[in-house]
Amino acid sequence: MRKRGLSFLASFWTVVVAAVLASAAARAADTVDIAVIVPLSGPNATVGEMIVNATKLAVEDINSAGGIKSLGGAKLNPIIADATNDPQGAVTTTERVLSQNKLAGAYGLALSPLTTAALPAFVKHHVPVVTSAISNTLVTPNNGGYLFQIAPKGTAFGNQQVEFLKFLNDKYKMGITKAAILYVNNPYGTATEKGIEQLAQKAGLEIVLNSAYPENITDASPLVSKIQQSGAQVLFPVSYITDASLILTGLRSADSHVLVIGGGAGFIWPPIGESLGDKVNGLISAASWNLDSKNVKDQSALSGVTQRYQKAYGTFMPEQAGEAYAGISVLAAAIESAGSDDPAKVRDALAKLHVTGGGGAMMQPGEVEFDANGANTHVVPVIIQWQNGVPHTVFPESVATAEVAKP
Amino acid sequence: MIIFLQSILNGLLIGGVYALVAMGLNLMFGVMKLVNFAHGEFLMAGMYVAVGLASLGTLPGALGIFGIYWVALPTMFVMAAVGFAFYLLLLDRAARFGESPQILLTIGLSIGAQGLAQVLRGSSFRLVPNPINGAAIRFGGLNLQLGPAIAFIVALGVTVVMAWILRATRFGKSARAVAESAETAEMLGIEVRRVYLVSTSIAIGLVGLAAALIIPYQYTFPNVGQNFVVVAFLAIVIAGLGNVVGAVFGGLLMGVMQSLTASYFDLDLSTAAIYLLFLAVLILRPQGLFTRGRRTL
Amino acid sequence: MRRALVILMVWMAAAVGLVSSNDYFVSVATTMAFLALWAQSWNLLCGLTGNISLGHSVFVAVAAYVTVILFQQAGVSPLLGGLLGILGSVVLAGIVGAATLRLRGPYFTLATLSAAAVVLSVILHYSELTGGPSGLAITFAHDSPFDLEFTNVRAYFLIATGLLATVTLILDLLKRSKLGFYIAAIKSSEEAAAAAGVRVALVKVIVFCLSAALTALGGVVYVFYIGFLDPNFLSGLTLSVEIALIAVVGGINYLIGPIIGAIFYEAIDTAANATFGASGGWDVMLLGFAVVVLVMTEPRGLCELAIRLLRLVRGRPARSWS
């Protein structure tokens, strides 16, 4: 048994080594590699897919415009990897991709827990990562300096939801004073909720209900009951896809007239439009990005991108895709500016970057700059309202292109 | 008072759904002593079948707003066929394995099936638009969501049918005999393997029926089974493993428990409440709340 | 047998050392070591008593959280905090073990599953203390051995492998000890053992606690390796299932079974992710169906399969199915 055991293990180990080495990417001479590490399996795969779709478009556009000109027209090459659904997998994948490739930069990991877990690997390998993850804790002073958050911070969503309510209250004299907050119990939910709480009192709102609910619920009727019990006039829900649908249909079943101002995610991605049909029109939510904000609509190149996405993938360009397009473009701009594919130099370029045009201007308000902690200094979340089956930007005024229909 | 009644009502409805999902699981355990961890994935597969059929169109005319439910019977039969194949290809041989390998097998199947679903149908969330989603019956300050309500009624109906099958048909009697003791049943001339085959087909067929009933208001996506499977397990154990008729009550109890704790306490503790209820039942009355003595089916 | 294990461990460490310029490789090997460590601890309870626990992740979670909370909020060194964390897991195991004494088979399995789910709910709920769903991050810039902080991932690999070797040796010794004898007696017939004077309940609880303690030990080091506590993962069903899967896939009747299982599982997982990860679902599908194929071919696990193959190769008749 002793000897057999060892020879068995020897063959196993060889297989492992072979498999691992075999998957090392071959690198062409005049390409610049960037990694795109996002969840591509498990319940968040749908988010990863949106990002990969947008990446393909962005890379196509950048390369057909001449690639990275300061590197002699080198073509951008995205290396796509599955961050999986848990931090362990995220770290392993990140380590693999970073160790086996010579990367100029990366985009990932879409979800805050995965990004937080993988961040030390990026710092260790000196590879800058642009992220759409929203957690405030990602952009703190001791994060190593390699993270660049292109999306608004989590609390900013909550802030914007309340700001918009104030706007509606003023515009339509709605007299809403009682607010309910229901949020999914994950980092996205808790960060957004904080933002709502922060501003609600200042806005003169009384919070009559503030409750987390577990992920992956299959029934929202207790939530709806609680909302009705609380006497709330406005609901700020922060939900993923299934719960958003269950909450909205639950409210409709109970014939509730509470005003809903969603916190993004489930309220703005294509599935809710599909499931509610034309009953989705009128739904209001915050979003990191929307396809018809002024900065996008006013530029034919950018609105062209959204149309090409629609054509290629069959749905309107969702939030995560727009952010990814902007993020990849910003990364390319940094490589261009650094004149090098040395990731440490790219990081420095990102820190100093000021984007006002090109793909990066996809991100509202049309310019991108990062502060010392990596947060995007100019971005604000937008408020959208579904009209004719597509989300339209209605707030803030600086980027709005549609008028909000009275809820 | 309204709140209490509404909570109970909500709980019963969602419990009905759990019961429907759990029934097939319980049949398989009762007859074959197999805990099928891939049960959630059979539900998921059924949902994909149902959604596929539903996107071909809903039946107009007579069925009215219930038009989408035409998919129920076809889905059930398709899934029964899947169960048939599942038994022949895998379970027939696996029946001779020990308990650990069997659980391992179904776990592997569960993982693989989720991947397969993503490969075949992508990761997106699908819900075929239909009038049932969001529709409700309202009376006296209470509201009854139509989707879960219909599932509830079907759950009751299926329980009655299953009870009849188990009591009055030859298959049912054979199944009960096998559930009691496979060896004795074999000695008495019952073809145990055939009972296993039919039981599996019925069980998976039942979960297909459950799938068809929830697609009007639940999204279909590769991992959806995971949201239902654990509660289904808890429901059947609470009812009494193998107690097919009792599974309904197990489901209902879980649903009501979940609903009441969510309404009166913190929402995010409602899941803990179900698990605690479950643990309490296990420790205090392991044969289940709705099973007398050592009843096996 | 014992010598083989020591040789095995040294060989593994050396092999990794040879390719040590590749951090990825080391991190995969480290994950394998932790998984093997947990599977071994699991096997103590489940291989020897025949019950399948699908809640073992809870012992990782409890120990991890206690250690890190004490460390970050009270400045308690992880070496001491770790002991307290392990103690916490042991207490929990004592309670769960005692409560589930009379449960067998799927009842036991579901009870352990529920215990982990309840703890997860609690962790998520008391978010001021535990960081809630956002978890807790452990950041450090310099090595601090007494705080279990190492910037070089190889340090964790060595610790994990060392713990694995120790636990394996402990299990080996246990089998030949009096306690091991009682366990074997209980496994073959509880009634007979009780009739012979074995204090069945006490032994069962002790085994549960020991299994939990070893799992917790791995958990304490693991969180410093990963640098991040994600409650959904640490107290989640996925990890519990992984641990059980690995032990059974490797072979619960063999001392090195869980180790083989961990290598197999992690190798397929990472290779599938590396080759197919971007293709959406293929990697997961491959892993799941690999397990199915393995179980259908040899339900007793990889060790058994290896023995069968080697007998075949050497021309001896395959062992009969008994």
Side-chain angles (χ1 to χ4, degrees):
Chain A
M1 181 58 202
R2 235 181 294 158
K3 252 191 178 163
R4 288 188 216 144
L6 284 183
S7 54
F8 181 64
L9 278 158
S11 19
F12 238 142
W13 209 244
T14 319
V15 167
V16 171
V17 175
V20 161
L21 291 177
S23 49
R27 196 166 152 268
D30 56 353
T31 58
V32 173
D33 290 343
I34 56 170
V36 176
I37 307 176
V38 288
L40 291 172
S41 61
N44 294 303
T46 191
V47 171
E49 248 181 50
M50 294 176 197
I51 294 175
V52 170
N53 291 348
T55 302
K56 293 195 183 128
L57 279 179
V59 168
E60 208 179 280
D61 289 348
I62 293 167
N63 287 345
S64 60
I68 308 292
K69 299 180 195 72
S70 64
L71 289 177
K75 299 276 183 256
L76 210 57
N77 177 40
I79 296 175
I80 299 171
D82 180 9
T84 78
N85 202 32
D86 58 70
Q88 176 187 298
V91 171
T92 313
T93 303
T94 306
E95 269 296 345
R96 168 174 59 85
V97 174
L98 263 47
S99 309
Q100 291 183 345
N101 299 283
K102 197 169 162 300
L103 299 169
Y107 185 84
L109 284 84
L111 299 176
S112 301
L114 303 181
T115 315
T116 312
L119 189 55
F122 286 105
V123 176
K124 182 175 63 161
H125 288 267
H126 304 296
V127 174
V129 57
V130 177
T131 186
S132 59
I134 61 163
S135 174
N136 289 49
T137 57
L138 283 171
V139 288
T140 46
N142 54 350
N143 68 358
Y146 278 84
L147 179 117
F148 297 91
Q149 187 183 65
I150 193 158
K153 283 185 249 205
T155 46
F157 285 86
N159 290 348
Q160 200 68 299
Q161 283 168 283
V162 176
E163 285 293 347
F164 186 66
L165 175 68
K166 265 170 48 190
F167 170 80
L168 280 181
N169 251 346
D170 292 338
K171 181 166 183 174
Y172 293 111
K173 309 277 179 284
M174 301 184 80
I176 291 180
T177 52
K178 298 199 179 155
I181 310 175
L182 276 183
Y183 58 103
V184 60
N185 205 11
N186 67 20
Y188 153 64
T190 47
T192 312
E193 181 273 337
K194 269 200 205 90
I196 300 173
E197 243 195 301
Q198 269 174 2
L199 276 210
Q201 271 163 334
K202 265 193 273 175
L205 288 174
E206 181 198 347
I207 301 179
V208 294
L209 169 65
N210 187 352
S211 180
Y213 63 84
E215 285 184 291
N216 304 319
I217 51 168
T218 53
D219 171 49
S221 33
L223 283 71
V224 172
S225 286
K226 275 202 128 93
I227 295 168
Q228 294 190 293
Q229 271 174 265
S230 69
Q233 298 159 302
V234 63
L235 170 67
F236 296 112
V238 188
S239 309
Y240 199 58
I241 298 174
T242 311
D243 24 332
S245 176
L246 289 172
I247 290 175
L248 290 176
T249 52
L251 286 171
R252 196 143 46 90
S253 296
D255 200 27
S256 162
H257 297 292
V258 76
L259 171 65
V260 175
I261 301 183
F267 296 100
I268 59 175
W269 294 337
I272 195 79
E274 278 161 21
S275 90
L276 295 181
D278 25 286
K279 299 205 180 68
V280 76
N281 293 324
L283 177 62
I284 297 169
S285 172
S288 293
W289 177 89
N290 196 44
L291 71 155
D292 76 344
S293 303
K294 222 177 247 176
N295 56 302
V296 178
K297 216 165 176 191
D298 288 352
Q299 301 253 9
S300 58
L302 295 178
S303 51
V305 171
T306 64
Q307 283 154 16
R308 278 158 54 213
Y309 189 101
Q310 165 95 47
K311 221 157 149 230
Y313 302 110
T315 76
F316 65 83
M317 191 169 191
E319 170 205 54
Q320 289 286 335
E323 286 181 290
Y325 189 93
I328 301 284
S329 306
V330 164
L331 198 51
I335 299 172
E336 182 75 58
S337 158
S340 156
D341 61 0
D342 176 351
K345 297 215 178 85
V346 175
R347 184 226 87 89
D348 292 338
L350 274 168
K352 292 193 291 238
L353 203 63
H354 187 190
V355 171
T356 50
M362 183 76 108
M363 205 66 201
Q364 73 281 356
E367 62 178 312
V368 178
E369 242 184 315
F370 299 105
D371 70 12
N373 298 330
N376 184 343
T377 49
H378 299 285
V379 73
V380 281
V382 294
I383 298 285
I384 60 100
Q385 183 178 48
W386 287 79
Q387 295 169 355
N388 302 315
V390 175
H392 289 269
T393 312
V394 295
F395 188 82
E397 324 245 301
S398 50
V399 289
T401 55
E403 188 72 28
V404 61
K406 179 162 188 206
Chain B
M1 191 53 188
I2 288 276
I3 296 156
F4 180 69
L5 286 178
Q6 183 70 60
S7 293
I8 301 276
L9 201 56
N10 292 337
L12 287 177
L13 293 190
I14 188 68
V17 176
Y18 291 149
L20 198 52
V21 171
M23 220 168 287
L25 188 62
N26 215 6
L27 181 60
M28 280 184 77
F29 184 79
V31 175
M32 303 174 63
K33 307 291 177 271
L34 171 76
V35 179
N36 181 10
F37 277 97
H39 190 74
E41 277 55 59
F42 284 108
L43 177 70
M44 177 264 288
M47 288 173 80
Y48 271 106
V49 170
V51 166
L53 290 172
S55 57
L56 294 176
T58 57
L59 270 186
L63 286 176
I65 64 162
F66 302 105
I68 194 171
Y69 289 108
W70 75 268
V71 304
L73 286 179
T75 308
M76 192 167 80
F77 286 121
V78 169
M79 291 312 290
V82 169
F84 194 86
F86 173 46
Y87 181 80
L88 284 181
L89 293 175
L90 292 176
L91 289 187
D92 196 33
R93 246 190 92 174
R96 272 172 284 143
F97 301 164
E99 197 184 290
S100 304
Q102 279 176 1
I103 290 185
L104 192 62
L105 174 66
T106 56
I107 289 176
L109 196 58
S110 161
I111 296 174
Q114 290 178 59
L116 181 64
Q118 192 181 350
V119 168
L120 291 179
R121 307 295 287 145
S123 63
S124 47
F125 286 54
R126 295 211 54 200
L127 201 158
V128 177
N130 67 87
I132 301 282
N133 194 16
I137 303 171
R138 282 185 275 273
F139 54 93
L142 300 172
N143 73 85
L144 216 74
Q145 287 193 292
L146 212 46
I150 294 173
F152 175 80
I153 295 171
V154 173
L156 291 181
V158 171
T159 306
V160 170
V161 170
M162 281 306 299
W164 176 79
I165 290 180
L166 288 173
R167 302 280 142 229
T169 65
R170 222 180 78 180
F171 161 73
K173 292 183 198 158
S174 309
R176 281 191 292 139
V178 170
E180 190 69 46
S181 162
E183 279 168 16
T184 318
E186 190 133 38
M187 286 195 288
L188 291 173
I190 294 176
E191 265 192 68
V192 174
R193 284 173 71 204
R194 207 159 66 93
V195 170
Y196 285 167
L197 177 61
V198 176
S199 302
T200 310
S201 307
I202 294 180
I204 307 293
L206 282 177
V207 87
L209 180 62
L213 289 172
I214 65 176
I215 55 137
Y217 67 99
Q218 292 278 0
Y219 282 106
T220 301
F221 57 99
N223 314 100
V224 66
Q226 298 294 297
N227 296 351
F228 287 92
V229 69
V230 180
V231 184
F233 271 111
L234 302 188
I236 64 173
V237 174
I238 286 185
L241 274 175
N243 185 348
V244 177
V245 173
V248 156
F249 297 105
L252 292 179
L253 181 61
M254 307 256 342
V256 171
M257 185 72 185
Q258 185 172 20
S259 185
L260 284 176
T261 40
S263 289
Y264 288 101
F265 298 104
D266 270 326
L267 288 173
D268 62 343
L269 287 180
S270 61
T271 29
I274 311 185
Y275 286 108
L276 284 171
L277 166 70
F278 173 78
L279 282 170
V281 170
L282 261 198
I283 293 164
L284 300 171
R285 197 186 155 92
Q287 72 268 36
L289 290 178
F290 303 107
T291 308
R292 265 163 289 158
R294 256 202 71 247
R295 193 165 131 205
T296 39
L297 205 65
Chain C
M1 199 55 202
R2 233 169 289 171
R3 265 177 292 157
L5 287 172
V6 177
I7 298 171
L8 157 72
M9 297 303 168
V10 171
W11 182 79
M12 265 177 72
V16 175
L18 284 177
V19 291
S20 73
S21 57
N22 189 335
D23 270 7
Y24 166 55
F25 211 62
V26 178
S27 75
V28 171
T30 311
T31 307
M32 276 182 191
F34 278 111
L35 288 174
L37 172 58
W38 288 327
Q40 279 286 32
S41 316
W42 182 94
N43 206 22
L44 168 58
L45 172 65
C46 306
L48 292 172
T49 64
N51 282 322
I52 295 190
S53 156
L54 284 186
H56 253 61
S57 64
V58 75
F59 304 123
V60 174
V62 168
Y65 269 96
V66 168
T67 312
V68 175
I69 290 176
L70 286 177
F71 179 49
Q72 291 187 335
Q73 298 191 11
V76 176
S77 155
L79 293 182
L80 175 61
L83 285 175
L84 291 173
I86 295 174
L87 185 64
S89 288
V90 168
V91 168
L92 180 63
I95 299 172
V96 176
T100 57
L101 272 178
R102 277 173 294 141
L103 301 180
R104 321 219 68 212
Y107 298 95
F108 178 82
T109 305
L110 290 172
T112 53
L113 196 155
S114 304
V118 171
V119 170
L120 173 59
S121 254
V122 168
I123 294 176
L124 287 178
H125 184 75
Y126 291 103
S127 46
E128 308 89 49
L129 182 64
T130 64
S134 314
L136 296 171
I138 307 170
T139 42
F140 49 88
H142 313 286
D143 280 11
S144 176
F146 288 113
D147 288 341
L148 290 180
E149 295 172 346
F150 302 98
T151 49
N152 188 340
V153 75
R154 280 158 204 80
Y156 293 109
F157 175 69
L158 288 176
I159 297 178
T161 342
L163 287 178
L164 175 60
T166 314
V167 170
T168 311
L169 278 171
I170 291 178
L171 291 188
D172 196 29
L173 287 169
L174 192 68
K175 251 201 248 185
R176 302 154 213 268
S177 75
K178 220 160 151 194
L179 183 61
F181 181 67
Y182 291 155
I183 295 168
I186 295 174
K187 186 179 187 189
S188 70
S189 165
E190 250 186 71
E191 288 94 4
V198 174
R199 298 173 62 190
V200 175
L202 186 62
V203 170
K204 275 183 163 180
V205 173
I206 290 180
V207 169
F208 211 125
C209 291
L210 198 53
S211 173
L214 297 173
T215 310
L217 180 59
V220 170
V221 184
Y222 178 78
V223 284
F224 282 89
Y225 159 58
I226 288 280
F228 183 67
L229 279 84
D230 175 16
N232 283 299
F233 176 68
L234 288 180
S235 192
L237 187 55
T238 310
L239 180 59
S240 295
V241 167
E242 252 179 21
I243 294 173
L245 201 107
I246 283 170
V248 180
V249 156
I252 54 179
N253 293 317
Y254 291 90
L255 191 58
I256 61 166
I259 302 177
I260 303 288
I263 296 177
F264 171 82
Y265 179 86
E266 189 63 17
I268 294 203
D269 195 7
T270 38
N273 188 329
T275 333
F276 296 107
S279 323
W282 284 93
D283 49 347
V284 176
M285 188 174 84
L286 221 84
L287 181 64
F289 290 156
V291 171
V292 171
V293 166
L294 173 66
V295 173
M296 293 305 287
T297 324
E298 178 49 80
R300 282 168 294 181
L302 281 169
C303 283
E304 192 64 42
L305 183 65
I307 291 177
R308 265 171 73 188
L309 285 175
L310 287 164
R311 275 184 207 271
L312 218 66
V313 160
R314 270 153 221 243
R316 279 183 222 135
R319 262 220 312 248
S320 62
W321 266 84
S322 53

